[in-house]
């Protein structure tokens, strides 16, 4: 069964959706959309370093994401606004990454596959990496779920409960870096932030609890991946962008459902 490229593509899309769903909820709750996009852009530099040093792309992406988080902390500590620091780091990392990939000698690189994904080319090794990364992200978030929720709700309440909000932010950054690394093959670095944000935002009108929102986000993300894959094959369109378009359509649908749902005025 794994010899079917469509079956491997479907499994890859589901794996990324399951990893991105709960993490995307925290990105929405914490208003970290720009940080998620900056991490995705920095992944290009991680890819360039991985190719230059002949090491795993996941290791390179996670290392660059961690370095970006430390650089962001240093810049904001020196008085730079958060959005300014993120903009400088994101676009600089993307530019240096693209230049670095172009200078990599002896390696044939399909740059479009890294930018927009190539889910139809996913192999068995890629599947192992994607599902291993997804399991790591889900396990990490499940382990720290309550602490992450508390620090998201109120840093003061987290301190009062004996929780270090800075540590939880670092855990969230690590999970985000891993998700970006495993999602590169599916939707590419330019669309990863969309797969994080849109299913989580689409789940909000359907959920009444944080856990419910995470579950709905997983369902919507999985439906987007499978539906986008099918539509792209039927219409002969790029698969990664089609997956994001499908997620956007589901966002509109759940928004309409939320607007039509009777509100509890009691």
């Amino acid at each position: 069964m794994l010899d079917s490229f469509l079956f491997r593509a479907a499994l890859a899309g589901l794996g990324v959706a399951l990893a991105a769903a709960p993490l995307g909820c925290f990105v929405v709750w914490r208003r970290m959309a720009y940080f998620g996009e900056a991490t995705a852009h920095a992944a290009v530099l991680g890819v360039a370093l991985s190719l230059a040093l002949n090491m795993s792309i996941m290791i390179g992406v996670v290392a660059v994401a961690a370095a970006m988080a430390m650089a962001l902390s240093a810049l904001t500590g020196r008085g730079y606004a958060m959005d300014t620091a993120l903009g400088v780091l994101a676009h600089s990392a993307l530019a240096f990454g693209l230049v670095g990939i172009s200078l990599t000698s002896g390696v044939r690189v399909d740059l479009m596959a890294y930018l927009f994904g190539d889910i139809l080319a996913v192999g068995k090794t890629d599947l192992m990496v994607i599902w291993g990364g997804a399991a790591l992200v889900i396990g990490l978030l499940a382990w720290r779920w309550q602490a992450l929720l508390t620090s998201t709700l109120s840093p003061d309440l987290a301190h009062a409960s004996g929780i270090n909000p800075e540590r939880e932010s670092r855990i969230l950054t690590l999970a985000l870096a891993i998700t970006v690394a495993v999602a590169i093959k599916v939707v590419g670095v330019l669309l990863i932030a969309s797969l994080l944000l849109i299913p989580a935002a689409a789940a909000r009108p359907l959920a009444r609890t944080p856990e419910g929102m995470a579950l709905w986000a997983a369902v919507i993300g999985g439906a987007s991946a499978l539906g986008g894959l099918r539509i792209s094959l039927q219409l002969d369109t790029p698969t990664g962008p089609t997956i994001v378009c499908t997620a956007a359509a589901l966002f509109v649908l759940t928004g309409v459902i939320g607007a039509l749902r009777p509100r509890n005025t009691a």
Side-chain angles (χ1 to χ4, degrees):
M1 183 66 87
L2 282 179
D3 289 332
S4 168
F5 75 97
L6 288 178
F7 184 69
R8 292 197 301 269
L11 283 179
L14 286 175
V16 171
L18 291 177
L23 185 60
C25 293
F26 282 105
V27 170
V28 170
W29 294 331
R30 289 176 172 240
R31 301 182 180 181
M32 293 174 61
Y34 200 11
F35 184 81
E37 187 173 352
T39 304
H41 286 182
V44 178
L45 181 56
V47 170
L49 290 176
S50 300
L51 294 175
L53 300 176
N54 194 25
M55 64 181 186
S56 167
I57 288 179
M58 174 174 280
I59 295 175
V61 171
V62 171
V64 169
M68 192 192 72
M70 291 187 291
L72 177 64
S73 176
L75 286 176
T76 53
R78 290 176 176 271
Y80 289 95
M82 178 69 74
D83 58 344
T84 300
L86 282 173
V88 170
L89 292 172
H91 295 98
S92 298
L94 177 61
F96 277 109
L98 292 174
V99 171
I101 289 176
S102 70
L103 293 176
T104 303
S105 60
V107 179
R108 295 184 60 185
V109 179
D110 184 0
L111 188 57
M112 295 298 289
Y114 286 117
L115 294 180
F116 297 104
D118 192 7
I119 190 174
L120 298 179
V122 167
K124 295 180 181 179
T125 303
D126 296 320
L127 274 180
M128 292 175 61
V129 171
I130 289 171
W131 278 91
L136 183 59
V137 169
I138 293 171
L140 192 62
L141 293 181
W143 173 48
R144 304 302 303 170
W145 181 264
Q146 196 58 50
L148 285 167
L149 277 179
T150 302
S151 60
T152 299
L153 177 64
S154 171
D156 293 334
L157 179 61
H159 280 298
S161 303
I163 298 170
N164 186 344
E166 289 77 17
R167 180 189 61 205
E168 305 308 320
S169 294
R170 287 193 293 270
I171 291 174
L172 207 57
T173 299
L174 175 61
L176 184 61
I178 295 172
T179 302
V180 168
V182 301
I184 286 178
K185 194 74 172 181
V186 177
V187 292
V189 298
L190 297 184
L191 299 175
I192 292 172
S194 301
L195 202 59
L196 280 168
L197 289 170
I198 298 177
R204 175 171 273 178
L206 306 178
R208 301 190 181 277
T209 65
E211 292 78 10
M213 184 170 164
L215 289 175
W216 271 112
V219 171
I220 293 170
S224 300
L226 297 180
L229 177 61
R230 182 178 180 83
I231 293 171
S232 73
L233 291 174
Q234 290 179 335
L235 301 181
D236 193 24
T237 55
T239 307
T242 305
I243 289 174
V244 177
C245 289
T246 305
L250 291 176
F251 170 77
V252 173
L253 178 61
T254 60
V256 172
I257 293 174
L260 295 177
R261 175 181 291 178
R263 298 180 181 275
N264 185 8
T265 57

